[in-house]
Amino acid sequence: MEISNKLKQLPTQFFATLVKKVNTAIEEGRDVINLGQGNPDQPTPSHIVEALQHAAADPKSHKYSPFSGTYEFKKAAADFYKREYNIEIDPNTEVAVLFGTKIGLVELPLAVMNEGELMLLPDPGYPDYLSGVSLANVKYETMPLLEKNNFLPDYNVLTEEQKKNAKLLYLNYPNNPTGATADIPFFQDTVELAKQYNIGIVHDFAYGAIGFDGERPVSFLQADGAKEVGIELYTLSKTYNMAGWRVGFAVGNKKMIEAINLLQDHLFVSLFPAVQYAGAKALTSEQDCVDELMKLYEGRRNAFIQECKRIGWNVKAPKGSFFAWLPVPEKYSSEEFADLLLDKADVAVAAGKGFGEYGEGYIRVGLLVDEDRLVEAVQRIEKLEIF
Ligand SMILES: Cc1ncc(COP(=O)(O)O)c(C=O)c1O
């Protein structure tokens, strides 16, 4: 049996090669410090695990979920947005339950675009956005995220043609991979652009909980009129260390939410009701576990950045997310530099090129190992005498 043409045209996974290289090095018995991936290293808080255990034993959880998810989970998502961002969300019409936000990001072009229509994506950006482009057979053009613009897209450089033709525009702040954050005026400009040119906005808020130096990341929906033009995707993967559970949601524009739900009616019955129950508990319980996690990440960020500066590496501290985006010394490409660090220092990082053309010149480091290992990674790099 041959696979379909649709599957044949899927983009190749740049990072599959990295994972292979790292695994080979580990199998060889090398002590690799793996800073290449984005998998939260801390466990899910125990009250959430206990909620799952309790709900898993309840026969009510053993039935099919309502197709669009339980009211309880959708209400918890709405209450979460009210509490955290003071935004009113109707649980019945403005929430779509997702098996993690990756699926929502991939589904959206299928749900609201026709073949050949145009989508605008950030570059560098989360590679899975391209999976949705390919499955829906739509076109995409990129918006460069440049350091001189604080890694925000400059809408002034979009051509009239791009603005007129774009059906969807993706944003992601706090940003993977650059660690940049956005503010409400930027989101307000985005809403104005969207209204003027009738573009649907999708804000990927995966790192919504992770902001440093006392600055809380803002929601796209805090901009006036945001719900008229777009949605925001929120995942429990990072805020509550629930990456393996596959639970997230989209909130905002009714039409876009309805389209996701319609597509999902045909693809899935919603998540295991016990996962939705525990997810609702995560969103509505005391948030001390989130505060503690943020302190942990900020401590790691500070230790790591300080050590980089000590060895003479001219780096900037990320403002949010659990990634640091570091400049590559001039004589190397990002891939060459990542290979060098793995081969000679047993430190795995992600080459910026894997996130798009404008990722060249950088590497991405995940702050997802203990502080002392992060410091050790920099000390190993120091021995290469590059800086
Ligand atoms: C920018 C960004 N968006 C979305 C996701 C997907 O998260 P999940 O599918 O676990 O909700 C990730 C995960 O790494 C991410 O980095």
Side-chain angles (χ1 to χ4, degrees), residues 27 67 88 116 137 152 156 187 200 249 283 313 329 367 379 384:
E27 276 160 24
F67 275 24
E88 302 288 341
N137 214 4
L152 297 170
N156 295 318
F187 284 140
F249 56 92
L283 293 167
W313 197 346
L367 304 170
Q379 288 168 354
L384 304 180

Side-chain angles (χ1 to χ4, degrees), residues 90-102:
D90 178 347
N92 288 313
T93 57
E94 293 178 337
V95 182
V97 182
L98 303 170
F99 280 89
T101 48
K102 170 177 168 146

Side-chain angles (χ1 to χ4, degrees), residues 37-40 98-105 125-129 171-177 204-207 233-238 242-249 322-323 355 364:
Q37 283 161 345
N39 210 342
L98 303 170
F99 280 89
T101 48
K102 170 177 168 146
I103 187 77
L105 293 160
Y126 180 55
D128 288 6
Y129 300 152
L171 294 171
N172 162 229
Y173 294 98
N175 184 254
N176 175 9
D204 174 0
F205 204 25
Y207 300 92
L233 271 59
Y234 197 95
T235 179
L236 278 67
S237 297
K238 326 281 172 176
M242 292 171 72
W245 295 52
R246 312 311 304 133
V247 50
F249 56 92
F322 48 49
F323 298 112
F355 301 95
R364 190 195 72 178

Side-chain angles (χ1 to χ4, degrees), residues 308-326:
C308 288
K309 288 189 171 156
R310 186 191 61 75
I311 71 163
W313 197 346
N314 184 18
V315 300
K316 292 209 177 94
K319 293 188 169 165
S321 84
F322 48 49
F323 298 112
W325 188 236
L326 311 175

